[in-house]
Amino acid sequence: MSKIKFMRSDLIDEAKEVVQHRTEKEKDTLHETPGIKMKEDRNGRVHITHIDVDESGAESIGKKKGTYITLTVPTLTVEDAQGFQELNQQLISSLKDIHQALMLTDQSKILVIGLGNRTITPDAIGPVAIDRFHEAIFSSPIEFGQVVYYAPGVTGQTGLETGEFVRAISERVKPDLIIVIDALAARNQDRLCKSLQITNTGIHPGSGVGNSRNEISFESLGVPVTAIGVPMVVDAPVLVVEAIETVFKVISSQIGETTKPSSALSVGPWLRSTDEPINVDAIKPIFGEWTAWSSEELHALLDEVLPPRHQQLFVTPKESDAWVIMHADLIQTGILNWLQDDVFGSISP
């Protein structure tokens, strides 16, 4: 059996080199990751990460050359109407930004593909979004045939490679742009269902869960491809490593607090912190040498000791059904509003 690669993620801003790049910038150093240009901004509650990757950057981080825009609302919940509204407005703005070079017109034809398996809840965002498009098209001023929506299912359902399915539809429709909607995998549980990634590099269906299919991209189809994804799952072993690191941080913080003279004056319960760096020397007598191990080394340990059935487990939030509906509505509304306002703006209702 091949080795399972923990720490996998479809989100570019979770790539190790990008994280290091961000950390160095926050420390006000002059370090720049070769081939990566990153700009971070904030609009209301939405955190925006805009990353451009060239050939050298693509080689160093294992991501394709192109533009990646990640939108995150860290405090987003399924009941947070305001948060979804702010995310929707920023999605429209990001779609306009990433498609400027295409020079789309009111004569352009758009193919929207919803990837995923509608019978598996965390993988159903694509098909559910397509359902929403079919419901909305009757009240839309966009003319019939200008935008085509389709959910091809997955290879296990149809027996056909998803990429070949999309190729056949593309050859029939002859679109000027293909938009692909899919669920993604994250490396950090805090990112689940709270982020959107928009990229003009296309997509590898199933790559986040180690089941990569044929690429859907400009290189494979000859048509520009924009991928919109929502992180819905995380590797179960990743949660184990996060739990271990959190325990180290909390106990390190507690030891540091009890050694301060001010702790004798405390009249309330100690407020733990997981943001402070780990004091390895303080916790090494308790846990031993492995307190100094990196996240990658802890994952390597899990790779050795966990049985294969545990290595293939993925975790999704318990409200994943509600998250899928909310994000499907969000993506459908954002795409239609962008098309009506920016691409087909000359069409009257």
Side-chain angles (χ1 to χ4, degrees), residues 239-260:
L239 302 183
V240 178
V241 172
E242 287 186 5
I244 293 172
E245 293 177 336
T246 299
V247 169
F248 288 169
K249 289 180 181 180
V250 169
I251 294 179
S252 171
S253 178
Q254 188 172 22
I255 292 174
E257 184 66 27
T258 55
T259 59
K260 296 179 182 178

Side-chain angles (χ1 to χ4, degrees), residues 139-155:
S139 60
S140 170
I142 297 175
E143 294 181 2
F144 179 79
Q146 287 187 300
V147 183
V148 179
Y149 316 107
Y150 191 71
V154 295
T155 302

Side-chain angles (χ1 to χ4, degrees), residues 90-149:
Q90 192 57 51
L91 171 61
I92 296 171
S93 177
S94 297
L95 288 171
K96 181 177 181 179
D97 180 19
I98 207 168
H99 292 115
Q100 281 184 344
L102 293 185
M103 304 296 291
L104 298 170
T105 71
D106 57 9
Q107 300 302 310
S108 298
K109 186 174 291 188
I110 313 296
L111 173 61
V112 183
I113 298 292
L115 298 180
N117 187 340
R118 69 169 63 248
T119 65
I120 300 176
T121 301
D123 194 35
I125 284 182
V128 174
I130 296 303
D131 292 343
R132 296 296 187 268
F133 276 111
H134 285 300
E135 294 167 4
I137 196 64
F138 296 106
S139 60
S140 170
I142 297 175
E143 294 181 2
F144 179 79
Q146 287 187 300
V147 183
V148 179
Y149 316 107

Side-chain angles (χ1 to χ4, degrees), residues 25-88:
K25 291 185 71 175
E26 289 177 348
K27 292 181 179 178
D28 296 325
T29 71
L30 297 178
H31 172 75
E32 292 289 337
T33 303
I36 298 175
K37 294 182 179 179
M38 181 169 64
K39 181 175 68 174
E40 296 183 276
D41 200 358
R42 182 169 179 168
N43 185 2
R45 294 167 57 196
V46 183
H47 295 208
I48 308 159
T49 304
H50 189 288
I51 299 176
D52 290 309
V53 180
D54 65 15
E55 289 86 353
S56 61
E59 183 176 352
S60 67
I61 67 174
K63 297 289 186 180
K64 290 186 62 176
K65 172 186 175 182
T67 298
Y68 300 78
I69 302 175
T70 306
L71 313 178
T72 303
V73 179
T75 58
L76 190 66
T77 66
V78 289
E79 301 88 5
D80 186 1
Q82 180 184 0
F84 275 99
Q85 182 177 5
E86 291 188 34
L87 197 55
N88 178 267

Side-chain angles (χ1 to χ4, degrees), residues 264-305:
L265 303 176
S266 176
V267 295
W270 170 72
L271 300 177
R272 72 181 189 182
S273 172
T274 59
D275 296 327
E276 298 179 6
I278 299 174
N279 184 344
V280 175
D281 293 332
I283 63 174
K284 185 179 293 185
I286 303 174
F287 297 104
E289 293 293 333
W290 69 310
T291 55
W293 290 12
S294 67
S295 296
E296 289 78 7
E297 289 170 323
L298 290 174
H299 279 279
L301 173 64
L302 293 181
D303 193 10
E304 294 179 7
V305 303

